[in-house]
Every structure is written in C-alpha cells, then in structure tokens.
Amino acid sequence: MAARRDAPEPPDFGILKRLARDQLVYLLEQLPGRKDLFIEPDLMSPLDRIANVSVLKQHEVDKLYRVENRPAPSASEQLCFLVRPRVRTMRYIADIVNADKMSGRSRKYKIIFSPQKFYACEMVLEEEGVFGDVTCDEWSFYLLPLDEDIISMELPEFFRDYFLEGDHRWINSVARALQLLNSLYGPFSRAYGIGRCAKMSYELWRDLEEESENDGQGRKPEIGNIFLIDRDMDYVTALCSQVVYEGLVDDTFRIKCGSVDFGPEVTSSDKSIKVLLNAQDKIFSQIRNEHFSSVFGLLSQKSRNLQAQYDRRQGMDIKQMKNFVSQELKGLKQEHRLLSLHIGACESIMKKKTKQDFQDMIKVEHALLEGFDIRESTSFIEEHIDRQVSPIESLRLMCLLSITENGLIPKDYRSLKTQYLQSYGPEHLLTFHNLKRIGLLTEQSPGETLTAVESRVSKLVTDRAAGKITDAFNSLAKKSNFRAISKKLSLIPRVDGEYNLKTPRDMAYVFSGAYTPLSCKIVEQVLERRGWQGLEEAVRLLNGNEFAMADGAAEDAGDAQRTVLAVFLGGCTFSEIAALRFLGKERGCRFIFLTTAVTSSGRVLEAMAEHSA
Amino acid sequence: MSRARADEEEYWHSSKFRAFTFDDEDDELSQLKESKRAVNSLRDIVDDDDDDLEKVSWSGEPVGSISWSIKETASSSSSLEGRDISLQKGSSSYALPKQVSSYSLSSLFKGRNRLPSLSSLSDAFSDMGVKNYAPELRRPKAEYKDYSNDWSPRDTVRRMQRGKVCSLERFRSLQDKLVLLDEAVAGHDGNVITAVLIFLKRTLRREILFRELEVRQVALCHLIHFLKEMGEQKLLLDLLRFLDRTEEVALSQYREHLNIQDVEKKREFLKGCIGLPFSAEDTSHIQDHYTLLERQIIIETNDRHLEMGGQSEIFRKYPRKASILNMPLVTTLFYSCFYHYTEAEGTFSSPTNLKKTFKIPDKQYVLTALAARAKLRAWEDVDALLTTKNWLGYTKKKAPIGFHRVVEILQRNNAPVQVLQEYVRLVEDVETRLNLATKYKCHDVVIDTYRDLKDRIQLMAYKCKVERGSAEEEKINSLLNNTQIRWKN
C-alpha cells in the first residue's frame, strides 16, 4: 500500500430521513381530519428515529396505539394503520372493520404498508370481506440511517424469510433501496457481489435502473463501489462471541435501532436510561471499535482528563469562572454523564461474562475455529447444555462445531440433541429441524455421498422438465467447507508471541487476533484485486454466484472511488462493521454499511425457533 | 486506532500489554472501579439540572418520543376500556362467517367480477381509485399507457413488480400459466411469485399444481411459506404428502401443539403425534414429550393440593414460584429433587423414577440433584450423592461431573468452609485445587497441598494470608520446623 490517505468523509444521509418523513406526512394528509394511528411494534423504533409525536399531531393524529392482539378502544372516526405487510396484521385489521360493520358503525380506514404492500395481504383483505372498505398506501421507507456510516432496512425477518423459507419477497425492497441510494449518491461505477440473493438483488436493481430515466448523469458521485454479500456465505463470523465494545454491548443489552436501554444495573439508580449510540457520542465513538481489553484503559484515561478539566476551577477568578460555567460546563457535564454510563456498562458486562465462564467459552470457540481439541470442545458444549446455561449459547456453540466440522458425527448429533431437548424443552425438536434445513446444524451422513444424491435427482430431471432443478442442487451442495476456506484465505493469523490488541495489525483483532472474519476478508480481497481473479478456489468452496461489474464510464480516482457501500443481505454484526472500519482506515477508504438489519448470534438463532401463532 | 493514542496510553497506564482475561475480575474491575469513583466524585459538582439532556419518562423513553406516547395511550385508555367492552358485547355474540374457501382475487388482479362484463380498460381506471397515491421518487413516464390487456407474461411480471395492478385472468391454458410462473421466478420478486401462485392455486386442480411445482423448487418454497403464513394446514399437509416429505408432514403436525393452551388437550394431542411418521430417533423424543407432560399433570395436581393444604413442610417453607407444567425435563428433575427427593421409586414424582423413565444419564442426574440439594443446604444428601460403595463395602467419593464443578455449585449456594473443604481436597488437578482452595479460603487444603508438593517458599508466603495466631498459622509453623520433610526449595 502506498502512503496512507485519510478515508473520505461519509456522505450526508440525513436526506434519507427527510424523504421518509415527508412521504409519511404526505400520506397522513391523504386522510384529512382527526384520526387515530395504529403502529406496528416493529415500526415504532424506526419511526422514532425520523419523526416525533409533534409531527404526527400536526397532521391531526389524535391517539397512538400499538397493533397487537387485542381489540382497540379507539373512538375516532378515522383509523390509520402503519404496518409491515403481514397476513396476521391484515386479519387484525379486518377484525376491527368487521366488528364495526356488525355494530352498524361506519368509519374510514387506511392501511399504510411499509416498505411496500404484498399481494397476499390484499388477498387476505379481500377474503375477509373488507377490501374496498379500507384504502391502502405504501410508505417507501426502505432506508433508516442509524449512524453516519450505517444504514439499516430494519427488516430482521429478511433472514428467516429468505434463508430458511426460501421466500424472495424482500428482494424487490433491496433492489429499490439500491435504486434510491444510486440515484442520490451514485452512480455506482463498480459492483461486486457473492451469493444467490446478492446476484438476484443486483439483477433486479439493474432491471429497475434500466427503465427509469437516467437523471444521475453528470452529477458527481459520492459512492463509487458497491459490494453485496449474502449472510450464508459466512455464518461462522455471525456466530462468534463478540469482543469489540459495540458488539459486546449488543450481545449483552441488545442495541435496538441504534439505541440501547441501560437498566438500573448500569445506571446505578432505579431507572433505565435510553441512550443513542452513534458517532455523536464522543465517548462511545472512541471505544466502540476497540477490543474490550483496551476499553478500560481508555475510559480511565477519559475520566482523568475530565477530572483535570474540572480541577482547573480551583485557581479561577470570578471572570474566568463565569466563562467556564457558560462555555465549558455544559460539554463537561454531557461528557460526565456518558462516561459514567459506559463505565457502568463495562462493569455490568464484566459481571455477566465472568459468571458465564466467558473465558473458557472463548477458548473453546478458538479451538473450534482452528480445528483442534474437537473432543474436549464437544464435552464442554455437553456440560454447558447439562447445566442449563443459556439455550442460545448452547445452540451457538453447537452450530459453530457443526459448521467448522462440516456437520456433527451422527453419534454426537444424537446425544447433544437429546440432551438439549431434555434441558431446554422438547419443542426444540422444531428448532433442530430448522437449523438442519438452513445448514447451521447438520449431521454428517457417511452413507450417502453428494454424488449419489445428484444422480438420483438428475434422474428426476430427465423424467420431468429439465433445467428447473438447479436450485435443488444448490441446496444439496450447501456444505460449509469452512476448514478449506479458512486455509485458502488464511483466516487464522499466525502469531508469534502475543497478539497486540491495542494497536492491531489486521482485522482479526475483532476476535482477539484468533480469526479474521470471513465476510470481511472476502471484501478486502476482492477490492484489492478489483475482481475475483485469483480467488477461484475460494469461490468454488463458497459455492459460487460471484460477480463483478464495472461501468467503464467513471474511472477517476476521486473520493467516490474510495467509498464502498457494503451490502449485507441477511444482516451484519457490529464485529464485521468494526473490522471493515479498521480496514478502511488502513487503506484510506470509507465503508458505508447497508444491512437488512444489524444482527448477532442471538438474533440469528432466535429466528430459527418456532412460536405459537 | 491511532498510534498516538496508544502511546499516550502507555504513558499513563504504564503496565505493559498483557493478555486480557475476563477472569481477572480483580485487576480489570479495580481499574473500572477507580474510574467510577473518579467520575462519581464529580457528581456533586455536576448537579442534576439536566437542562441539556433529553427528558426521560419513568420507563426510560424520551418524553415526546412515539414509543413513549403509545405507552401513555395504553395506560390512559384503560379507563375507557370498560365502556368499550360493553359496546362490544353486543356484537361479539354474532360469529363472523369466515369466507374460508373463497380465494377470489377479483379486485386484486382485476378484470373480473366487480361488474360482470366490465372491460379491463375502465376497470383499470376504477382501480386507480384504490391504488397508491404515494409520491414515488421517480414515476416512470410510461405509466399512463398501461391499460392494454395484452401484456406478455414477461411484461405482466414486470408491471406487477412495480406494484401495478394487472389482470391474470387471461392466462388460461396450463402452458400460459406455467410460462407466467417461470417468468415470475426469473424476475426474482417473491411478492409476484406468490401472487401468481395464488392465481394458480385458484385456477388449477391441486394435483396438477403440485406436480408442476415439484420441478420448480423456488416456486414450491413460496407456496409452502404462503400456506404456512395463511394457516392453511390441510392443504400444506396434502402438498407435503404429495412430495413424499413424510418427516415434514409429521413435524408440521407436531408444531400445532404450540397453539394449544389447555394442558389436557395438549396431552391428548401429543399422544396422537406419537404415531406420526417421524424418524425413529424423533419418535422417541415425541414419546418422551408426551410422557413428560403426562407426569407433570399428575405432579402438578398433587402438589397444588399439598401446597393448598399447608400440611407439607417443604411447600410451606419454600412455596412454589411457578407451576411445573410445560417445563423441560431437567427442570422437572430439579423440581422433583427439591420437593420429592426421598420418595420411593414407585411414585411418579420421585427423582429415581424420572431418571429411569427418561434414561437420564448419571452425569446429568448428579448435576441436577446436587444443585437442588445444595440449594436446600442439605449437606448430608450431597455427601450421600457423591459416595459410592464398591463390592468390598469400602466407600469412596466419586463425581461424574468433576469435583471442581461440585465445589462451584456448593460455593454458589454458600456452603460452609468445612463442607467446601472436603470437596476442594478431592479436585484432582493440583493447580485447580490450589486455585479453588485459595479463592475460597480452604486453608487446610492449601497448606496440605504445598506440603505434598514440598514447596517451602509458597508455604511461607501463604503464612501471611492466614490469621495471626490461628490454628492454620500454627500448622504452617510446625510444618516449616519439621525436619523430616525434604523441601524442594
């Protein structure tokens, strides 16, 4: 690498919020007069980030309700529903409308779907006999900027819908999101990607692009590259324990839509505090990407500095004091508040992690990643299950074992599964089935090799219409090959002596120097080579579906060429974000993250459970 | 991660880089505590007129945020509820006839049904009334010539992808329908694929639809997901049976138990699940699930009775926090070890009976029983649990889970040092034993271990950790003065 350049500043994504707010206001005005607004719980936090109650009140929203499974006490003449396109919600609304009809009451109803409506929803409205009684609109709220470099689609269900159920319903939303970003910050002159969903999203986006007028011509692009990657290219990274601060905070407290609820154990008072975590928080922005071990040092340094600032008061005369109070005190107070919150959070994390044998767990994880002591790791997991330690953690370790070993040997699979069901409940039989389908937790099958299955399926193909069966093949070929990929891309760094976590030399620091996140490594390699040349073997092991497109027109070396939109389909973790931020700093480029939702091992695994309807 | 900052940090925090461990509670936490003290000491300077801070309500939501207002509505509306409930009473006696079998898509894919002979052109206009007033960012100019009915399958799919209403009724031959479906799949938009499938489902006999989907995996996934979401269980099962996916048929039926609240009904339902075509392994899991719930129902009935009667001491001393129904097996075992430990094997609630019925491994059993008895501070039970007799009648302590775990469990339940000591002594690995003994102040064990290791220096160093003039100190002194021992240092 040549001399280090500073990474370009991220573009201003504030406009995305304004667009979303303006459109919502426009839609509310379509229902003039006073109205009650029913909001889908999943949409509340995102809505909070772009509008507040007074905006809604200005547009004659009277009362706010949560869409939930019980009758609403609203007395308004006009009801407006702000919802995700879901069958369940449609039935809820239909029940309200039908109850009104039965009691001879007539009101106006309006459903606003976000980010788009589905045909199946309209079908339900029709079936329930309320089509025509309600009007439908779409609020194209695809993109929520969570931070200066993170944009979320806030669609956690994307993961299960696509990767488990094989439903392509959100691909159109992704394509539209790309279209919007391209029109505002593009044109993107280079596009790379890997994964089936990445490819389909790219194709659908290009398709949309072709028919829209090219008003982007002549404008100076701010983002020049995009990289799309499917979550199933790399489950390992998503399953590892996070040890950078932001990741730990997410794993411990669950960051929701860019903010976190710190409970009494953190605030050392009797109330919880909701804190926005982003680049505006001066303390947080300095520790978010750090390995946890460096965080204490940084925090004590901060608190000493703060103390020194306050101590300056001692020698002040009245006039200086006045200055101090009017100019500095406010900032110091803010810093003080944030500092004590993050210290409290660290304490709480330490307490929880110590209780959970975190150290031993990390050791096991590292052993799994490197592929040694498999027996010991298996018995560690077994004990973890027997002691009824967290069900999600047990599952997480089992999945890591499975992916790194290309499936569990049948004997282990049976016994771990049995013990799991005994410890956490027999209904998890369904969870295991889902995990098997998605490929997170599988059983090695010594008898039936892939080729045997292939020949059986290909017979089927000749019997029936040929050529339609490729997908079946794809799912059969879903083997993780982690060990081989890891070797090929040198994901396990060779360390002589201690890995220096405070001034790291590569992205592996986000996992204590034990493992470089596969997803980020792929991004790094492809950007470096400006394509997939030389990565053929890795691509083959990842099961292909890679692409690289260059638009010959733009080829300047401006900031746009050093700005990369990294699109994670199925979610990305804070560890991956930290790793790519690090890479960006090293290489003088800027990564912008577009994700269907921020994810974590907990969220991935919880999405695999079955719940009552 | 700037280098400058790292240097700066080196300066004030001059201890060299060390391997970080989450176990180092003392060191790292003391650093934290120090920072915390520093920050807290500033608190009285920084008074609490949080003028620049967000106003936060009791629940922690910023006042004025939407989430906060909704909670407000919820609490303030409770007074209204009374009135509204009475309003609803009148209407709730009518059960709404659900149009279960009407899959008509008339107004969705228009050109049908509103008025018998409505041509597509005017229909398109009338439908604009319902459709989309949302401002699009860029609305294609071509939109207004969209009334023609002769869209090719490809164009039909493209129009639907863009959210436009489109008639599917002209795709009447099987050939046309399949071309349309394949185009939808090729267009990558799941919403459109599902829409086409809804149309196909309505206009094709199910065997024909199933047959065609068998070779169209993507479309098949969409139909299955759609049926799941709609709760069309019967059709879903037919489809899975047609595809010979017997295991999925079984799982899909078993899944329904999640929706059954009543335990008696749930038990009956699970009984019916035992015969479903699961794999041999899963069949035994289902059998266990049924047996477990059956047991829990019996135990629950008895124990509730006992608890209400107030005669049983254990229930009076430790009232139950929750019912045992629907809990996992291990939790049930814990419960039974807690409340029914001494019962004979013949009763359903006895631990030994559970162990036998569900073939609970020894390790799991000991772990759970230990936790339960330690919680009750029944140390003799703990002792008995870990004691085995060999064929000669000698007794020996044995812990299938390892004595370090035993110690951990006992310690968590505040076992007295005398009890703890006994098991710390049995920890095989010397280093672990020393660590645990030091941590929990089992002085005797530490002293004996150093003696066995002939480590004079460590023993001398340990002297300052025990109390002045205590028996332990005396013991150390006498050991150090013992000329019989050949110290290694």
Side-chain angles (χ1 to χ4, degrees):
Chain A
M1 273 284 121
R4 265 186 10 180
R5 286 174 296 186
D6 280 344
E9 284 299 303
D12 173 18
F13 295 117
I15 187 172
L16 294 173
K17 288 191 188 180
R18 284 201 298 282
L19 275 174
R21 184 170 48 231
D22 290 352
Q23 200 194 4
L24 179 63
V25 164
Y26 177 89
L27 290 169
L28 289 175
E29 282 173 353
Q30 298 305 300
L31 190 65
R34 286 154 66 87
K35 58 209 155 250
D36 282 355
L37 186 62
F38 290 69
I39 304 176
E40 180 107 47
D42 293 358
L43 275 169
M44 275 164 32
S45 300
L47 185 57
D48 252 334
R49 297 295 302 268
I50 59 152
N52 54 28
V53 176
S54 65
V55 169
L56 298 181
K57 297 269 172 199
Q58 273 164 31
H59 300 280
E60 297 179 277
V61 171
D62 218 9
K63 278 189 187 134
L64 292 167
Y65 295 94
R66 179 202 292 267
V67 170
E68 58 196 339
N69 267 338
R70 55 196 177 105
S74 167
S76 177
E77 283 313 299
Q78 303 197 92
L79 306 184
C80 187
F81 300 89
L82 190 55
V83 296
R84 290 274 186 233
R86 290 181 190 139
V87 167
R88 196 172 3 105
T89 320
M90 293 308 107
R91 293 200 171 130
Y92 164 82
I93 295 172
D95 285 348
I96 293 180
V97 177
N98 279 324
D100 282 353
K101 280 189 185 175
M102 294 300 266
S103 57
R105 180 170 193 185
S106 91
R107 312 198 236 196
K108 272 193 177 167
Y109 314 93
K110 182 188 194 67
I111 304 177
I112 300 175
F113 293 96
S114 177
Q116 62 171 118
K117 85 184 156 197
F118 288 148
Y119 289 101
C121 291
E122 290 180 306
M123 190 208 76
V124 174
L125 294 177
E126 183 176 355
E127 272 189 8
E128 299 284 339
V130 300
F131 196 95
D133 297 316
V134 300
T135 56
C136 296
D137 263 323
E138 284 180 339
W139 180 30
S140 323
F141 181 30
Y142 296 108
L143 299 166
L144 174 67
L146 290 180
D147 205 342
E148 57 174 27
D149 59 353
I150 308 175
I151 304 171
S152 168
M153 296 184 68
E154 290 298 312
L155 290 174
E157 61 261 57
F158 181 103
F159 178 68
R160 184 176 164 124
D161 284 346
Y162 178 79
F163 292 103
L164 182 66
E165 306 289 359
D167 195 318
H168 298 178
R169 55 168 54 151
W170 298 114
I171 292 182
N172 193 9
S173 305
V174 172
R176 283 176 196 234
L178 290 177
Q179 188 185 21
L180 179 56
L181 287 173
N182 186 54
S183 75
L184 293 171
Y185 306 101
F188 313 141
S189 45
R190 285 174 180 278
Y192 310 97
I194 184 160
R196 263 167 55 76
C197 187
K199 201 165 195 174
M200 290 192 285
S201 307
Y202 175 81
E203 283 171 8
L204 188 51
W205 164 54
R206 290 313 306 171
D207 207 34
L208 291 175
E209 227 30 275
E210 258 165 44
E211 71 186 33
S212 70
E213 306 127 81
N214 265 332
D215 49 4
Q217 288 304 341
R219 207 191 25 172
K220 199 165 168 290
E222 291 178 270
I223 300 175
N225 307 280
I226 73 167
F227 197 114
L228 295 99
I229 182 166
D230 283 13
R231 184 70 270 173
D232 69 349
M233 290 294 109
D234 175 14
Y235 282 137
V236 169
T237 300
L239 290 174
C240 288
S241 290
Q242 306 201 65
V243 284
V244 292
Y245 183 62
E246 193 164 11
L248 261 173
V249 171
D250 192 30
D251 276 353
T252 318
F253 306 103
R254 286 282 163 110
I255 298 174
K256 202 169 132 204
C257 216
S259 73
V260 69
D261 273 317
F262 281 138
E265 80 277 16
V266 172
T267 60
S268 41
S269 66
D270 50 358
K271 60 178 182 179
S272 295
I273 297 182
K274 199 176 190 134
V275 188
L276 267 186
L277 296 176
N278 58 29
Q280 254 82 60
D281 178 338
K282 290 285 177 295
I283 306 284
F284 180 66
S285 62
Q286 286 180 57
I287 55 175
R288 68 194 309 185
N289 299 317
E290 299 292 324
H291 188 272
F292 196 53
S293 60
S294 323
V295 171
F296 303 121
L298 285 165
L299 286 177
S300 27
Q301 181 192 355
K302 286 270 151 207
S303 56
R304 285 177 191 219
N305 287 350
L306 189 64
Q307 186 138 39
Q309 298 270 346
Y310 278 114
D311 287 346
R312 284 193 300 118
R313 292 169 309 134
Q314 248 79 73
M316 286 181 184
D317 58 30
I318 289 287
K319 196 171 163 215
Q320 285 169 321
M321 194 61 141
K322 208 171 144 194
N323 251 334
F324 175 81
V325 170
S326 65
Q327 286 170 15
E328 287 173 59
L329 194 58
K330 196 168 162 177
L332 291 178
K333 269 160 63 177
Q334 173 76 0
E335 202 177 327
H336 174 263
R337 170 179 165 266
L338 293 170
L339 200 50
S340 55
L341 278 176
H342 288 299
I343 290 173
C346 281
E347 264 187 327
S348 174
I349 291 171
M350 275 303 279
K351 257 188 220 149
K352 277 187 193 153
K353 294 297 175 189
T354 317
K355 216 187 266 169
Q356 284 174 8
D357 285 339
F358 197 51
Q359 194 62 33
D360 291 339
M361 198 144 78
I362 298 252
K363 233 191 260 163
V364 168
E365 271 178 41
H366 292 173
L368 290 175
L369 291 167
E370 290 188 51
F372 59 80
D373 291 350
I374 299 302
R375 285 310 333 149
E376 283 82 342
S377 301
T378 310
S379 32
F380 178 88
I381 297 172
E382 195 173 36
E383 202 185 300
H384 211 263
I385 295 171
D386 286 349
R387 289 164 56 215
Q388 287 188 305
V389 196
S390 131
I392 290 292
E393 291 290 307
S394 297
L395 216 47
R396 186 175 70 80
L397 292 171
M398 286 170 79
C399 291
L400 261 182
L401 174 65
S402 168
I403 299 177
T404 52
E405 289 290 296
N406 258 341
L408 269 57
I409 56 174
K411 188 173 132 291
D412 286 347
Y413 182 82
R414 301 242 159 92
S415 94
L416 286 176
K417 179 172 165 185
T418 304
Q419 294 179 66
Y420 194 94
L421 300 183
Q422 295 185 337
S423 269
Y424 304 115
E427 67 279 6
H428 283 292
L429 194 68
L430 298 162
T431 316
F432 276 81
H433 178 67
N434 286 342
L435 288 168
K436 201 173 212 170
R437 274 207 293 154
I438 204 172
L440 277 169
L441 182 54
T442 57
E443 186 180 351
Q444 291 170 7
S445 50
E448 197 176 49
T449 58
L450 186 64
T451 42
V453 181
E454 264 170 347
S455 67
R456 210 179 62 199
V457 176
S458 58
K459 223 178 96 212
L460 202 81
V461 177
T462 43
D463 290 341
R464 304 265 161 80
K468 299 266 157 59
I469 202 92
T470 44
D471 295 295
F473 273 122
N474 277 336
S475 66
L476 282 173
K478 226 190 233 166
K479 259 192 149 184
S480 72
N481 300 316
F482 177 76
R483 206 71 69 209
I485 294 167
S486 168
K487 212 164 164 194
K488 197 79 215 157
L489 295 174
S490 346
L491 298 180
I492 313 291
R494 272 183 314 194
V495 187
D496 5 287
E498 194 83 42
Y499 187 97
N500 186 342
L501 290 169
K502 303 204 177 189
T503 47
R505 49 179 185 151
D506 55 29
M507 297 189 283
Y509 92 92
V510 301
F511 293 117
S512 309
Y515 161 69
T516 313
L518 168 58
S519 52
C520 304
K521 188 74 173 186
I522 298 172
V523 172
E524 177 204 72
Q525 290 295 308
V526 171
L527 290 178
E528 200 164 86
R529 295 156 199 259
R530 297 195 144 211
W532 296 92
Q533 298 80 8
L535 297 171
E536 291 81 4
E537 180 60 13
V539 165
R540 194 187 63 77
L541 291 166
L542 285 165
N543 206 14
N545 284 307
E546 82 288 3
F547 59 90
M549 311 282 177
D551 184 351
E555 196 53 60
D556 59 280
D559 280 356
Q561 289 317 307
R562 292 191 287 129
T563 304
V564 184
L565 181 70
V567 186
F568 284 82
L569 300 163
C572 78
T573 64
F574 282 116
S575 297
E576 288 169 311
I577 292 176
L580 287 177
R581 280 179 182 148
F582 174 85
L583 183 69
K585 255 186 217 157
E586 291 284 301
R587 304 287 161 89
C589 62
R590 168 70 67 175
F591 285 96
I592 307 295
F593 302 91
L594 169 61
T595 178
T596 49
V598 174
T599 194
S600 63
S601 56
R603 296 188 186 95
V604 165
L605 294 172
E606 277 161 21
M608 294 297 111
E610 294 288 330
H611 302 284
S612 58
Chain B
M1 213 144 300
S2 83
R3 264 134 222 192
R5 208 192 52 214
D7 292 344
E8 199 178 84
E9 188 181 314
E10 273 256 11
Y11 156 68
W12 80 269
H13 183 65
S14 57
S15 65
K16 273 278 179 205
F17 305 126
R18 285 179 314 119
F20 171 73
T21 70
F22 279 88
D23 281 345
D24 274 356
E25 227 179 325
D26 296 343
D27 280 9
E28 302 289 356
L29 269 183
S30 73
Q31 196 180 40
L32 265 185
K33 278 182 188 131
E34 178 200 326
S35 329
K36 194 178 181 182
R37 258 197 308 279
V39 171
N40 283 343
S41 70
L42 298 175
R43 201 153 265 165
D44 29 45
I45 311 171
V46 190
D47 49 57
D48 264 335
D49 65 334
D50 295 350
D51 47 0
D52 56 334
L53 305 180
E54 272 182 315
K55 288 273 180 290
V56 173
S57 73
W58 56 270
S59 64
E61 305 288 347
V63 174
S65 80
I66 288 158
S67 327
W68 178 77
S69 312
I70 288 184
K71 285 184 192 146
E72 287 297 289
T73 329
S75 47
S76 68
S77 64
S78 53
S79 58
L80 278 175
E81 242 156 26
R83 196 189 64 197
D84 282 19
I85 283 167
S86 63
L87 249 177
Q88 278 152 4
K89 260 184 200 147
S91 59
S92 63
S93 53
Y94 304 77
L96 278 177
K98 254 193 186 166
Q99 303 163 288
V100 178
S101 60
S102 134
Y103 300 123
S104 155
L105 287 173
S106 53
S107 24
L108 220 186
F109 311 114
K110 65 180 161 70
R112 211 188 139 246
N113 231 335
R114 186 162 304 168
L115 288 168
S117 63
L118 206 57
S119 78
S120 63
L121 195 123
S122 55
D123 209 3
F125 274 117
S126 68
D127 234 289
M128 301 281 279
V130 207
K131 223 202 92 44
N132 216 348
Y133 288 103
E136 289 179 14
L137 284 154
R138 272 156 286 100
R139 188 181 287 253
K141 284 186 179 136
E143 186 166 303
Y144 297 101
K145 56 174 173 49
D146 280 355
Y147 322 128
S148 154
N149 209 358
D150 291 336
W151 300 102
S152 68
R154 175 138 204 225
D155 286 335
T156 305
V157 166
R158 288 171 68 96
R159 287 173 51 75
M160 289 173 72
Q161 280 177 356
R162 282 137 190 86
K164 286 169 203 157
V165 181
C166 224
S167 163
L168 300 183
E169 296 302 317
R170 6 173 241 105
F171 297 94
R172 301 193 70 167
S173 74
L174 180 59
Q175 169 84 17
D176 283 355
K177 290 180 204 286
L178 294 176
V179 170
L180 182 68
L181 182 61
D182 291 339
E183 278 297 342
V185 169
H188 307 324
D189 184 342
N191 178 30
V192 178
I193 299 172
T194 304
V196 172
L197 284 168
I198 293 170
F199 167 70
L200 261 54
K201 174 168 164 278
R202 184 171 54 82
T203 56
L204 285 174
R205 193 155 64 83
R206 63 176 57 169
E207 287 73 18
I208 306 213
L209 177 64
F210 292 172
R211 188 190 70 202
E212 294 302 335
L213 289 183
E214 194 172 9
V215 288
R216 289 174 173 80
Q217 290 291 319
V218 173
L220 179 62
C221 287
H222 283 77
L223 184 63
I224 291 174
H225 192 209
F226 172 76
L227 294 177
K228 279 187 195 167
E229 286 195 317
M230 293 295 293
E232 291 191 42
Q233 180 77 354
K234 198 178 164 306
L235 190 57
L236 176 64
L237 293 177
D238 285 348
L239 174 57
L240 293 174
R241 279 192 201 103
F242 178 89
L243 297 168
D244 264 343
R245 298 193 189 174
T246 47
E247 198 184 350
E248 277 179 62
V249 172
L251 285 160
S252 177
Q253 277 172 276
Y254 170 67
R255 192 191 174 286
E256 285 178 69
H257 87 268
L258 294 173
N259 298 324
I260 305 175
Q261 295 300 320
D262 183 86
V263 277
E264 291 290 345
K265 282 190 190 136
K266 186 183 270 194
R267 189 192 56 186
E268 278 313 299
F269 183 85
L270 287 173
K271 194 175 185 180
C273 286
I274 296 172
L276 294 173
F278 287 106
S279 65
E281 183 203 350
D282 284 353
T283 300
S284 76
H285 292 315
I286 302 293
Q287 171 81 54
D288 280 355
H289 191 175
Y290 164 72
T291 316
L292 179 63
L293 187 60
E294 191 184 35
R295 283 299 170 82
Q296 286 172 339
I297 292 173
I298 297 171
I299 298 175
E300 178 66 23
T301 319
N302 275 330
D303 288 1
R304 199 172 29 211
H305 197 74
L306 273 175
E307 195 175 31
M308 301 257 274
Q311 299 300 312
S312 161
E313 195 192 329
I314 179 98
F315 285 108
R316 249 186 300 139
K317 220 163 150 192
Y318 305 96
R320 303 185 309 156
K321 290 197 185 90
S323 115
I324 195 62
L325 296 171
N326 295 315
M327 292 294 167
L329 175 61
V330 171
T331 312
T332 312
L333 178 63
F334 181 90
Y335 176 96
S336 130
C337 288
F338 195 92
Y339 289 110
H340 303 280
Y341 195 61
T342 51
E343 273 167 32
E345 200 185 310
T347 56
F348 280 140
S349 48
S350 88
T352 27
N353 189 307
L354 284 176
K355 182 174 186 244
K356 220 170 195 176
T357 310
F358 296 98
K359 299 189 193 73
I360 299 171
D362 233 17
K363 213 167 147 182
Q364 175 74 77
Y365 180 79
V366 170
L367 196 64
T368 313
L370 189 64
R373 299 323 286 169
K375 183 137 206 146
L376 286 166
R377 307 176 64 83
W379 309 123
E380 307 91 75
D381 289 343
V382 170
D383 187 70
L385 189 64
L386 298 171
T387 306
T388 51
K389 246 190 203 146
N390 72 1
W391 61 281
L392 290 172
Y394 295 121
T395 60
K396 198 184 166 218
K397 288 271 186 295
K398 219 178 104 192
I401 53 172
F403 280 104
H404 65 289
R405 277 287 173 230
V406 174
V407 170
E408 188 198 298
I409 293 170
L410 294 179
Q411 195 274 332
R412 208 181 295 148
N413 290 291
N414 301 320
V417 176
Q418 304 88 282
V419 174
L420 214 51
Q421 188 153 281
E422 189 179 343
Y423 299 99
V424 173
R425 199 181 288 282
L426 293 168
V427 173
E428 219 151 276
D429 181 62
V430 176
E431 205 175 315
T432 321
R433 192 196 314 153
L434 272 173
N435 275 339
L436 288 171
T438 317
K439 201 165 162 189
Y440 302 135
K441 302 208 165 51
C442 301
H443 301 306
D444 257 3
V445 181
V446 179
I447 296 166
D448 291 349
T449 308
Y450 284 138
R451 183 198 59 202
D452 295 346
L453 289 171
K454 313 221 184 308
D455 195 336
R456 198 172 51 98
I457 295 180
Q458 288 293 342
L459 192 57
M460 266 157 58
Y462 197 73
K463 216 170 103 174
C464 57
K465 298 241 175 95
V466 299
E467 247 176 83
R468 270 276 168 86
S470 63
E472 286 87 7
E473 196 191 37
E474 210 165 292
K475 185 172 176 182
I476 294 178
N477 283 333
S478 82
L479 279 172
L480 289 172
N481 294 330
N482 187 337
T483 48
Q484 304 283 311
I485 304 172
R486 299 172 66 184
W487 301 103
K488 72 168 184 192
N489 47 27

